[in-house]
Amino acid sequence: MQRAGKGRTPRRPKKPSNIEKDPVGVYCRIRPLGGEDEECCVEMISSSTIQLHAPDGLKANRNGEYKETQYCFKKVFGIKTTQIELFEDVAKTLIEDLIHCKNGLLFTYGVTGSGKTYTMTGSPGEGGLLPRSLDMLFNSIGPFQAKRFVFKPDEKNGIEVQNQLDALLERQKRDSQQSVPKTPSSRQRVDPEFADMINPDQACKFEGVDEDCCYSVFVSYIEIYNNYIYDLLEDAPFDPIRPKPPQSKILREDQNHNMYVAGCTEVEVKSTEEAFDVFWKGQKKRRIANTELNRESSRSHSVFTVKLAQAPLDADGDHILQDKSQVNVSQLCLVDLAGSERTNRTRAEGSRLREAGNINQSLMTLRTCMEVLRENQMCGTNRMVPYRDSKVTHLFKNYFDGEGKVRMVVCVNPKAEDYEETLLVMRFAEMTQEVEVARPVDRPICGLTPGRRQRNQAFKDELSRRLEERGGPVNGDPVQLNQLIESLPPLPPCELSDPSDDQTLPRLMEVLERRYRIRQKMTEQFNQTANNMKFALQQFESQFSSKENVLHDQRSKLGEKDKVIANQRTEIERLKTLEYKIDILQKTTEMYEQDKRSLQQELESREQRLQKELAERRRMEQRMQGVVTDTKLKWERECERRVNAKQLELQNKLWVKDEKLKQLKAIVTENGGASGGPAEPPRKPERPSRERDRNVAQKRSASPTPLSTVPPVHPMHRRSHSAGGEKWVDHKPASNLDLDTVMQPIIPNAIKVSTPNEKALSKCHRYVLRHQELASDGEIETKLIKGNVFKTRGGGQAVEFTDIETLKQEDPTAPSFSRKRRSGSGEGPAQTDDIENRVSSMLKPPVANISSSHGYQKRRRP
Ligand code: ADP
Ligand code: MG
């Protein structure tokens, strides 16, 4: 941006380090192949990436050294991209920036034939970036342009502003001077080749133009060839007889250290067509010079500069503010660089070689400058950038040093022959993207109220309407003028026919005096009316200004209200988000509370269960204590009972022995006295029936008859172990389990075997088998099956089973147990019977004897 300082480009202040920067915008455009059968070495693989393939010949030659390479850009435009699409992406914002007083630089770069000129200039119907940029600029600022020569370039890269009158005078002067280069009029016929560059449907316009400013566009067009600068718009007469080589221009630095081409023609243009025309003129001149001097156009750089001057309207909105410090100048440079091919490819000789060398030199310098810039920016170094080494870089030094937007369109021809050069172009382009350029800052707004132009226009419209209502401006109507003349006293005939005529002249004098008086009166009237009008106007003006003040106040109030509304809106938004957050929090709280309630319920139920279990356990303890005391009591009773039984048994034995003794005594006494009768043969042991057993038991309930003659003991069957002397075979099968019972059968004098054998049996009289089985209640029952051992006639052993003793252990909690316990404990007489039965069994052959006891049952069966 160039502004302030007597309308000249201002010195750029030293940039603070935190200034915002943008990288150079690099775009890539691929042109279509010339012929369909040509080999293609470029492929667009995404909207920002292209891939280069080495052509077949190269691949073979370099033994696979060349492989596919990819390059990324801000955007890649494929072969189908139209000029308008490219313009919208690449140049549109540059024009917007230009109108916003920001500088821009747009250049095309690539190998010759890759489409640089096509991209920049285009062809009829397919206008390139340059004509489209001009078109958009004039579409945007069109109605707000200043009159010609209001803005006037000085000779030092600045632009001055002059008042309307001076501008008018200058216009007239220029019109009268035929020799001075005349700026073409927009009404002039436009070159047909350029007339239809842009389709009217594709016209672009920027809507954000400041209407309270006046604008003027200046264009200049230069060519840099062999590192010389030529002005393509200079109006030097061409002498066909003695052609003069064109004079080159030099670069200068202005007051503010911006570079410019000294003495370069800057043409003020007022329309797209006019600007096209100027450009076309430059193109023609370039073509002529190329032909005349045998130059090659692809070896020159062309720079078309669009300079936009703008200054605000004054407070009335009628005239440009005559304050040179308010003039802003911005520029957009559109550069079509020379082809980037290397010297050897141009097949140049002699002066051509020098040209090629120079092209290369300037492009090389551009490349070096970019590299050094990038290094300085990336590594924080401070190497000097060699801008001065070539004219191109020197001219654009300020874009990279200062600020501005820089964009580059890299043009690519995908044909195989260009592959190696295209590679170099791609590398340069990719590197350039890493260079950053300071972003232009927004210009300060002038302090005047906006909308001045519109208000002024509205005022003018209103004034002309009112004047029309009152009959229009007086001097504009010839009929009214005639009427006025007719109302004056008519002039008498004033022809002098006689020298002595002394009447005609006095009459004429009288009429003229009368007329003079009328005129004076009319002048007075006019003055009065004018004064009245002036007064009314002043009043109107003061009213207007007070209204304007009120309006201004209202506007500022409105602005404040707007701000308040905006604040309220943000507040509302904030509150909404807060409400939303609160909602979420409430929902979360509810969820947590529900959780809490359910947890509490669970806790309570668990506590209740715990209490119940505790109570249960206490009850159980009490019950167990009861069971323990019960069991203890029972066992005490049982022991007592056994002791009693034992005593009874012993008494019985004693009694039996006594009886035997008595019988022996009686036999002895009988044998000693009279011969005794034959002794009753011993009764053969017989299996007593239950019936008999019961009868016997009934009989036995009375006290035994001591005088019975039959010995009460079965001679073959001695039940008691303590009867002594008897030897037992204790047959305990290996499969038997060891039960942890209190009562264990103890058989003294026994030979313990797990399988009976004859040897053991021959030594014993008695045999007992310990047989275990599962009772119906699931308890293990041990049966002691006893028998006598006989010697058989054949000399073997036989066992006659005589008795079964059942041993059983019971669970006290089992229902059968409690039943038994109840029946057992409550029946005293049954117990007595049992003892009696047992006693009788001592004396009788084994009978069924059922005894019940707590936890231990002993049953004997024949
Ligand atoms: P350069 O300026 O890079 O030497 P030109 O712009 O003169 O190349 O292009 C060479 C030729 O290729 C021209 O005839 C031009 O019309 C054609 N051309 C280039 N780019 C395109 C494109 N994108 N679409 C169609 N034709 C193109
Ligand atoms: Mg070209």
Side-chain angles (χ1 to χ4, degrees):
M1 184 184 78
Q2 302 175 352
R3 65 167 298 270
K6 293 169 196 133
R8 295 209 177 101
T9 42
R11 184 190 187 119
R12 290 168 204 285
K14 278 261 175 246
K15 299 282 172 324
S17 57
N18 62 349
I19 195 151
E20 284 189 278
K21 287 188 164 187
D22 294 312
V24 172
V26 180
Y27 300 83
C28 178
R29 185 184 204 182
I30 308 170
R31 61 157 282 187
L33 276 171
E36 274 181 17
D37 51 345
E38 271 189 271
E39 189 189 352
C40 176
C41 66
V42 178
E43 190 191 346
M44 177 178 169
I45 55 173
S46 80
S47 64
S48 63
T49 316
I50 66 165
Q51 183 164 290
L52 262 66
H53 317 269
D56 291 341
L58 258 181
K59 256 184 228 164
N61 288 348
R62 305 284 170 109
N63 204 12
E65 184 194 325
Y66 281 75
K67 39 182 197 291
E68 288 158 355
T69 40
Q70 292 186 353
Y71 297 92
C72 285
F73 300 102
K74 192 164 180 181
K75 191 160 182 183
V76 174
F77 300 97
I79 53 169
K80 297 220 172 93
T81 311
T82 59
Q83 298 280 57
I84 180 79
E85 281 166 6
L86 185 87
F87 171 76
E88 287 193 339
D89 274 326
V90 178
K92 214 171 168 182
T93 47
L94 291 178
I95 302 300
E96 290 172 9
D97 280 1
L98 182 73
I99 295 169
H100 281 149
C101 303
K102 294 170 184 175
N103 293 342
L105 169 63
L106 172 60
F107 55 97
T108 52
Y109 183 86
V111 180
T112 299
S114 60
K116 295 184 298 296
T117 308
Y118 178 80
T119 298
M120 191 52 88
T121 311
S123 54
E126 290 288 331
L129 298 174
L130 188 145
R132 282 176 201 278
S133 297
L134 288 170
D135 192 46
M136 179 174 168
L137 179 63
F138 283 107
N139 288 343
S140 310
I141 61 160
F144 315 120
Q145 289 191 77
K147 291 244 168 64
R148 216 179 283 273
F149 302 125
V150 168
F151 289 103
K152 192 180 165 199
D154 62 8
E155 297 295 303
K156 294 159 196 148
N157 201 30
I159 288 183
E160 290 174 339
V161 61
Q162 56 184 357
N163 63 43
Q164 302 269 24
L165 198 65
D166 289 344
L168 181 71
L169 284 175
E170 183 141 3
R171 278 201 293 277
Q172 286 172 354
K173 199 173 92 188
R174 294 270 177 128
D175 283 346
S176 63
Q177 281 178 352
Q178 289 301 320
S179 61
V180 175
K182 212 182 116 211
T183 46
S185 143
S186 54
R187 281 179 293 278
Q188 220 173 301
R189 202 176 57 82
V190 176
D191 196 304
E193 223 182 308
F194 231 76
D196 53 358
M197 267 281 190
I198 299 163
N199 191 335
D201 305 344
Q202 296 180 341
C204 285
K205 189 180 172 187
F206 174 51
E207 300 293 344
V209 178
D210 183 359
E211 293 184 7
D212 291 320
C213 278
C214 274
Y215 302 84
S216 264
V217 179
F218 297 86
V219 293
S220 58
Y221 193 18
I222 57 158
E223 182 182 33
I224 302 174
Y225 191 86
N226 255 350
N227 216 23
Y228 287 109
I229 300 174
Y230 300 101
D231 182 356
L232 292 176
L233 302 183
E234 202 171 34
D235 235 358
F238 181 71
D239 185 355
I241 299 155
R242 252 193 289 155
K244 254 197 314 181
Q247 288 295 298
S248 70
K249 302 278 174 192
I250 54 161
L251 282 179
R252 282 232 177 95
E253 199 174 62
D254 71 7
Q255 257 189 337
N256 305 307
H257 303 281
N258 290 315
M259 299 312 299
Y260 71 99
V261 180
C264 179
T265 317
E266 286 180 309
V267 182
E268 187 174 8
V269 284
K270 291 287 160 207
S271 68
T272 316
E273 292 76 22
E274 227 182 283
F276 279 1
D277 213 54
V278 172
F279 173 76
W280 201 237
K281 206 173 115 190
Q283 281 288 84
K284 261 185 194 161
K285 194 165 175 187
R286 196 178 170 197
R287 246 184 274 159
I288 291 168
N290 287 339
T291 327
E292 296 288 326
L293 304 170
N294 197 18
R295 302 190 324 195
E296 203 173 299
S297 69
S298 72
R299 295 184 185 169
S300 67
H301 314 286
S302 72
V303 183
F304 187 82
T305 307
V306 185
K307 223 178 215 184
L308 180 70
Q310 53 186 293
L313 285 173
D314 60 9
D316 285 346
D318 202 9
H319 303 289
I320 291 174
L321 199 69
Q322 292 294 309
D323 177 359
K324 288 181 181 173
S325 70
Q326 292 285 348
V327 178
N328 287 304
V329 182
S330 48
Q331 67 177 33
L332 173 64
C333 291
L334 302 163
V335 186
D336 186 358
L337 287 176
S340 72
E341 54 273 356
R342 290 170 300 177
T343 319
N344 62 1
R345 190 182 166 237
T346 59
R347 290 182 296 276
E349 286 167 12
S351 66
R352 281 282 170 82
L353 187 66
R354 199 185 67 228
E355 290 163 14
N358 277 324
I359 307 151
N360 263 349
Q361 193 51 50
S362 59
L363 291 178
M364 272 298 287
T365 311
L366 179 65
R367 197 189 165 110
T368 317
C369 287
M370 292 296 149
E371 273 168 2
V372 175
L373 265 172
R374 185 183 62 151
E375 192 187 311
N376 282 351
Q377 287 171 359
M378 286 181 138
C379 313
T381 49
N382 203 12
R383 266 179 66 192
M384 205 194 68
V385 187
Y387 296 116
R388 284 167 183 272
D389 289 4
S390 93
K391 292 279 189 299
V392 180
T393 50
H394 199 187
L395 183 58
F396 299 123
K397 166 179 170 280
N398 294 108
Y399 285 95
F400 298 100
D401 253 8
E403 55 174 40
K405 199 170 259 180
V406 183
R407 287 186 170 179
M408 177 164 95
V409 182
V410 183
C411 298
V412 183
N413 189 348
K415 68 176 181 185
E417 287 146 62
D418 280 358
Y419 173 73
E420 287 189 68
E421 270 124 24
T422 305
L423 260 187
L424 295 175
V425 169
M426 290 293 124
R427 282 185 202 144
F428 168 69
E430 217 179 31
M431 185 265 297
T432 306
Q433 298 189 94
E434 290 170 11
V435 174
E436 290 190 322
V437 179
R439 188 182 298 173
V441 288
D442 289 319
R443 92 195 141 125
I445 304 157
C446 82
L448 299 168
T449 44
R452 302 187 295 280
R453 185 189 287 273
Q454 273 196 349
R455 269 206 310 280
N456 181 259
Q457 193 56 46
F459 173 71
K460 277 184 183 165
D461 291 350
E462 180 66 16
L463 195 69
S464 61
R465 192 180 63 79
R466 288 205 187 172
L467 281 175
E468 247 172 55
E469 273 176 9
R470 291 182 190 178
V474 178
N475 57 358
D477 194 346
V479 181
Q480 276 192 351
L481 202 69
N482 282 342
Q483 279 174 356
L484 189 76
I485 290 167
E486 276 164 21
S487 71
L488 293 173
L491 287 177
C494 41
E495 218 172 279
L496 289 176
S497 50
D498 192 356
S500 56
D501 189 356
D502 51 354
Q503 282 180 356
T504 310
L505 280 176
R507 252 205 318 269
L508 184 64
M509 273 163 69
E510 197 187 319
V511 171
L512 283 176
E513 269 172 11
R514 259 209 330 262
R515 278 196 169 198
Y516 179 71
R517 275 198 300 277
I518 291 169
R519 183 180 171 268
Q520 267 188 331
K521 223 186 249 174
M522 275 167 77
T523 313
E524 271 169 30
Q525 268 183 353
F526 173 77
N527 279 344
Q528 208 179 343
T529 318
N531 278 341
N532 286 347
M533 183 68 187
K534 208 170 167 185
F535 181 70
L537 273 176
Q538 274 170 353
Q539 266 188 334
F540 179 75
E541 203 176 320
S542 68
Q543 273 177 5
F544 181 76
S545 63
S546 71
K547 286 267 158 59
E548 204 168 46
N549 283 345
V550 170
L551 206 72
H552 188 68
D553 281 356
Q554 297 291 351
R555 274 223 184 91
S556 61
K557 274 184 195 162
L558 204 71
E560 276 166 25
K561 287 267 152 66
D562 274 352
K563 264 186 218 159
V564 171
I565 286 171
N567 282 348
Q568 304 275 15
R569 279 221 182 97
T570 48
E571 187 64 17
I572 285 170
E573 286 302 313
R574 203 177 62 84
L575 286 175
K576 267 185 193 160
T577 46
L578 278 180
E579 252 176 26
Y580 178 67
K581 279 182 188 167
I582 287 171
D583 261 9
I584 290 172
L585 280 176
Q586 268 176 349
K587 273 180 195 150
T588 320
T589 316
E590 269 169 28
M591 255 155 57
Y592 279 131
E593 265 177 4
Q594 236 170 12
D595 276 4
K596 192 182 145 196
R597 272 199 297 276
S598 66
L599 281 174
Q600 266 178 346
Q601 275 175 359
E602 201 181 330
L603 195 75
E604 276 167 19
S605 68
R606 283 197 183 183
E607 254 173 20
Q608 277 175 0
R609 263 212 317 267
L610 201 73
Q611 292 294 339
K612 234 191 255 174
E613 275 171 14
L614 271 174
E616 187 71 20
R617 191 184 285 177
R618 270 200 296 276
R619 260 206 308 279
M620 197 74 177
E621 265 174 18
Q622 280 171 0
R623 225 167 64 198
M624 286 316 284
Q625 271 174 2
V627 169
V628 167
T629 34
D630 278 2
T631 320
K632 204 169 147 192
L633 267 172
K634 191 177 79 188
W635 280 108
E636 274 170 9
R637 270 206 295 275
E638 177 71 14
C639 290
E640 208 175 301
R641 190 178 63 80
R642 288 191 189 178
V643 168
N644 288 342
K646 206 75 182 167
Q647 273 179 357
L648 206 66
E649 195 182 310
L650 288 174
Q651 273 176 6
N652 274 347
K653 275 183 190 167
L654 213 64
W655 180 76
V656 168
K657 276 185 183 165
D658 274 355
E659 256 336 272
K660 278 183 184 169
L661 221 61
K662 273 180 198 165
Q663 282 174 8
L664 278 174
K665 219 186 226 174
I667 293 166
V668 169
T669 334
E670 272 173 31
N671 287 349
S675 61
E680 216 180 314
R683 256 205 298 173
K684 190 185 166 192
E686 56 180 299
R687 194 168 292 268
S689 74
R690 273 172 193 265
E691 197 63 32
R692 225 178 101 199
D693 199 27
R694 213 177 294 131
N695 292 343
V696 171
Q698 274 165 4
K699 249 188 256 166
R700 295 270 323 138
S701 64
S703 57
T705 331
L707 294 172
S708 164
T709 51
V710 183
V713 180
H714 192 289
M716 303 292 284
H717 180 78
R718 296 176 65 92
R719 186 188 161 267
S720 173
H721 303 157
S722 56
E726 283 184 328
K727 237 190 159 163
W728 289 78
V729 173
D730 185 358
H731 175 197
K732 189 178 180 186
S735 59
N736 274 20
L737 296 170
D738 273 336
L739 297 175
D740 196 18
T741 49
V742 178
M743 302 283 232
Q744 293 281 352
I746 300 163
I747 310 167
N749 251 345
I751 298 172
K752 291 193 175 156
V753 291
S754 57
T755 44
N757 53 36
E758 211 167 310
K759 194 180 160 196
L761 285 170
S762 65
K763 289 179 188 164
C764 302
H765 304 104
R766 302 296 306 267
Y767 168 84
V768 62
L769 167 67
R770 299 179 190 228
H771 170 68
Q772 280 183 342
E773 64 185 29
L774 207 61
S776 59
D777 57 358
E779 297 292 339
I780 291 176
E781 217 172 52
T782 310
K783 286 184 177 161
L784 302 180
I785 304 165
K786 300 180 210 160
N788 294 328
V789 181
F790 297 104
K791 288 200 170 34
T792 57
R793 277 201 199 118
Q797 316 291 330
V799 177
E800 185 196 17
F801 290 106
T802 54
D803 191 4
I804 297 173
E805 237 178 277
T806 306
L807 308 175
K808 193 177 171 197
Q809 198 172 9
E810 274 182 18
D811 183 1
T813 56
S816 61
F817 172 78
S818 50
R819 210 169 49 238
K820 275 175 193 162
R821 186 182 154 216
R822 248 180 276 121
S823 63
S825 60
E827 285 168 30
Q831 211 172 4
T832 330
D833 277 359
D834 186 48
I835 296 165
E836 280 172 11
N837 287 345
R838 282 169 153 274
V839 172
S840 70
S841 71
M842 293 288 179
L843 306 171
K844 299 283 171 194
V847 287
N849 183 359
I850 300 160
S851 78
S852 65
S853 58
H854 303 295
Y856 183 76
Q857 201 181 40
K858 189 177 173 190
R859 195 180 300 149
R860 184 180 293 159
R861 255 185 256 128

